Amino acid sequence: MRNIRDHGGGLDAAVTQYGGARADWLDLSTGINPVPYPVGEISADAWSALPDSGAMDRLLTAARRFWNVPDGAEIIAANGASALIAQMPRLADTNDDSVYVPGPTYNEHAAAFRAAGFHVMDQPDSDAPVQVFVHPNNPTGHIKPVEAVTSRRLNIIDESFCDVAPMESHIAQASYDGVVVLKSFGKFWGLAGARLGFAMCTPDVAGVLRDMLGPWTVSGPALEIGARALEDVAWAEATRVRLAADAARLDELVGWKLVGGTDLFRTYEVDDAAAMQDYLAQGHVWSRIFPYSKTWIRLGLPAPDRWDQLRAALA
Amino acid sequence: MRNIRDHGGGLDAAVTQYGGARADWLDLSTGINPVPYPVGEISADAWSALPDSGAMDRLLTAARRFWNVPDGAEIIAANGASALIAQMPRLADTNDDSVYVPGPTYNEHAAAFRAAGFHVMDQPDSDAPVQVFVHPNNPTGHIKPVEAVTSRRLNIIDESFCDVAPMESHIAQASYDGVVVLKSFGKFWGLAGARLGFAMCTPDVAGVLRDMLGPWTVSGPALEIGARALEDVAWAEATRVRLAADAARLDELVGWKLVGGTDLFRTYEVDDAAAMQDYLAQGHVWSRIFPYSKTWIRLGLPAPDRWDQLRAALA
């Protein structure tokens, strides 16, 4: 298997190593909101019929409004931001197959470009015609100024974690040539299993991306749930408030030095990250550490009824 | 939009043109089993968590057993056969960018290769290094002998409709170099909205395909439903019996000359296909006609409680 990469998730492997029932584990290894948008009723048609254009139109209209997508940009939906990330190297219509991916960051971007034969550089002085940045960055929470966005021929801005900080979004740049903004539904709305993500870009790039993905990219249930969720601005606002409070609560509970993060995940510095991950795993709490750092450990937020388990594991 | 192509589905457009409520229409424009596999309970985790490897392993084990995938072949799952079809041109590692797609057939294959810059030929004497055929063919139901399967450098066999005739499958060829067999979950199991499809091929090609698609290709709910359905051999056997009976019933009811088909769809010859489509649409029955034929009309099977509507529309 060529694309086994270092991800969050992987709870199954932790359960195998440390024992216990999967349901008893507290999985903090991702940055997924633990209080998901209610799935609600799914129509029988959503499962059985080929997703029709009406359902997709409703989703895209809701997405356009929710994210203030500029008029000059198109928006397309796919089965998760990951499906779009995998196609990004094919948008780089260039003879210079090099890409600047400021690190450390979410590793699927570099992996996708490497698989496509690109030379990946993480140095800021690079002349690469393509850049990819995660905004806010995962795992550091770093924010980039708008000047950084459009500086190259192709600029891919992954705003998978930007819904907790919408004022920071670079979505206004999505109508410019050479800019692609990616959005994820799974994280802020807590429905990563539904597989739904978006790209906002100029119409010509959107046309190319549609051809790359083929038709019916999003399941019928995800179209329904996504449309309802993106139309529900009140839920989003209340969720932002709750996530901010929980992120502060997590910082206080662990008492570790904060490296950075967003209101969906917090990256801390500890003496020995691997030892701390192991220690938490004894209490069936699964965390995230990184191959490039011996001291960073990242935690997502516990669900409201699971804080005691984290407190016990830390004791 | 570059990839608006001539498809089944499109019921929304018919409703707009002919009126009526969407739910009152009988959509026979696709070859989807109208009695879907029961969706059943979906775990909360399937929606909220990133799909974990355990759920994917269970699905692939069930798929391997159901389809008798040979030991030397790997199997990978994607969000619908369409997602795999869109990537097929990238597997054609050749300087001769021509592909043989015997026609008439399902048009996504030619569309995907054309979008990738290939010259598509439908003539049988072609020397193209790549061939794609749908097996049994849609809309003719044509079956190919095994000698046709491995005759070129890359042979893509789309068995989306083969589950009604499993004895015809060329799956035993999936372990040979240059053969990719595609399977669809949506049609035979009647859950096209769930988006689930499979490719069976040699391990090296499977590795390349995985990189092309990225991680988490299948939603958590589709992993659960797909595994349950593929483990349920009794349901599949009973469904084959019912579909065969309903296909015969449809032939008898319409009384038109049969061009061909499978037990999931029937293609008939009528004097004026467009006029017949229009006539059926007055009765809110949606059918499928083809840009390349003035006389062919294709019907899927009505659900058990919807035959009266077809009978009335035909009257």
Side-chain angles (χ1 to χ4, degrees), chain A residues 1-3 5 7-12 22 30 32 36 39 42 45-55 79 82-83 86-87 90 106 108 115 190-195 204 207-208 210-222 225, chain B residues 1-3 5 7-12 22 30 32 36 39 42 45-55 79 82-83 86-87 90 106 108 115 190-195 204 207-208 210-222 225:
Chain A
M1 306 237 302
R2 288 173 55 181
N3 73 349
R5 298 199 270 260
H7 288 131
L11 180 60
D12 282 343
R22 198 177 196 283
T30 70
I32 298 169
V39 168
I42 310 280
D45 241 30
W47 291 109
S48 60
L50 275 173
D52 212 322
S53 57
N79 66 317
S82 61
Q87 300 301 318
R90 301 174 68 194
Y106 179 60
E108 277 302 319
L191 293 169
R195 309 314 297 138
D204 56 330
V208 172
R210 275 192 205 95
D211 276 345
M212 288 175 181
L213 295 168
W216 310 300
T217 52
V218 177
S219 72
I225 299 166
Chain B
M1 306 236 303
R2 288 173 54 181
N3 71 350
R5 298 199 271 260
H7 287 133
L11 180 60
D12 283 342
R22 199 178 195 284
T30 69
I32 298 169
V39 168
I42 309 279
D45 242 30
W47 290 110
S48 60
L50 276 172
D52 213 321
S53 57
N79 68 316
S82 61
Q87 301 301 318
R90 301 173 69 195
Y106 179 59
E108 277 302 320
L191 294 170
R195 309 313 298 138
D204 56 330
V208 172
R210 277 192 204 96
D211 277 345
M212 288 176 180
L213 295 167
W216 309 299
T217 52
V218 177
S219 72
I225 299 165

Side-chain angles (χ1 to χ4, degrees), chain B residues 260-276:
Chain B
T262 70
D263 289 347
L264 283 163
F265 60 82
R266 313 298 283 172
T267 304
Y268 303 102
E269 189 168 300
V270 295
D271 287 342
D272 182 336
M276 184 58 75

Side-chain angles (χ1 to χ4, degrees), chain B residues 16 85 87 131 133 163 178 236-237 246 267 270 292 295 314:
Chain B
T16 303
I85 289 171
Q87 301 301 318
Q131 70 172 344
F133 60 84
D163 295 303
E237 286 173 354
D246 281 357
T267 304
V270 295
Y292 51 76
T295 58
L314 285 162

Side-chain angles (χ1 to χ4, degrees), chain B residues 92-290:
Chain B
D93 185 19
T94 166
N95 291 321
D96 179 358
D97 284 349
S98 63
V99 58
Y100 170 43
V101 185
T105 192
Y106 179 59
N107 59 16
E108 277 302 320
H109 293 287
F113 275 91
R114 277 199 198 95
F118 277 72
H119 180 59
V120 178
M121 294 180 284
D122 62 359
Q123 295 307 308
D125 57 348
S126 152
D127 290 327
V130 184
Q131 70 172 344
V132 187
F133 60 84
V134 180
H135 183 259
N137 190 37
N138 170 14
T140 63
H142 188 71
I143 293 287
K144 290 246 192 193
V146 66
E147 300 75 47
V149 176
T150 54
S151 62
R152 306 190 192 232
R153 199 176 328 156
L154 177 62
N155 305 271
I156 297 156
I157 322 299
D158 178 354
E159 293 198 341
S160 284
F161 288 104
C162 203
D163 295 303
V164 287
M167 74 297 293
E168 304 288 359
S169 175
H170 290 314
I171 190 66
Q173 313 303 313
S175 60
Y176 288 92
D177 278 339
V179 175
V180 180
V181 177
L182 302 176
K183 297 281 188 181
S184 164
F185 181 75
K187 296 169 186 79
F188 180 71
W189 286 270
L191 294 170
R195 309 313 298 138
L196 180 59
F198 299 87
M200 292 77 159
C201 51
T202 56
D204 56 330
V205 174
V208 172
L209 261 176
R210 277 192 204 96
D211 277 345
M212 288 176 180
L213 295 167
W216 309 299
T217 52
V218 177
S219 72
L223 290 175
E224 286 192 1
I225 299 165
R228 283 200 292 261
L230 289 165
E231 288 164 357
D232 193 346
V233 174
W235 185 93
E237 286 173 354
T239 293
R240 279 185 200 116
V241 171
R242 181 184 53 75
L243 290 170
D246 281 357
R249 183 180 176 188
L250 185 64
D251 290 350
E252 197 180 320
L253 176 63
V254 298
W256 301 329
K257 185 188 169 196
L258 184 67
V259 173
T262 70
D263 289 347
L264 283 163
F265 60 82
R266 313 298 283 172
T267 304
Y268 303 102
E269 189 168 300
V270 295
D271 287 342
D272 182 336
M276 184 58 75
Q277 184 180 55
D278 177 73
Y279 184 78
L280 292 172
Q282 311 291 336
H284 293 173
V285 171
W286 193 232
S287 59
R288 180 81 164 86
I289 61 174
F290 302 93

Side-chain angles (χ1 to χ4, degrees), chain A residues 234-310:
Chain A
W235 186 91
E237 287 172 354
T239 293
R240 281 185 200 114
V241 172
R242 182 183 52 75
L243 290 170
D246 282 357
R249 183 179 175 188
L250 185 64
D251 290 350
E252 198 179 319
L253 176 63
V254 298
W256 301 328
K257 186 187 167 194
L258 184 68
V259 173
T262 71
D263 289 346
L264 283 163
F265 61 81
R266 313 298 283 172
T267 304
Y268 302 103
E269 189 167 300
V270 294
D271 287 342
D272 182 337
M276 184 59 75
Q277 183 181 54
D278 177 72
Y279 185 78
L280 291 172
Q282 311 291 335
H284 294 174
V285 172
W286 192 232
S287 59
R288 179 83 161 87
I289 61 174
F290 302 93
Y292 51 77
S293 169
K294 291 190 185 314
T295 58
W296 288 9
I297 187 165
R298 195 190 70 192
L299 298 180
L301 301 176
D305 60 344
R306 301 295 291 274
W307 286 81
D308 285 347
Q309 183 171 355
L310 175 59

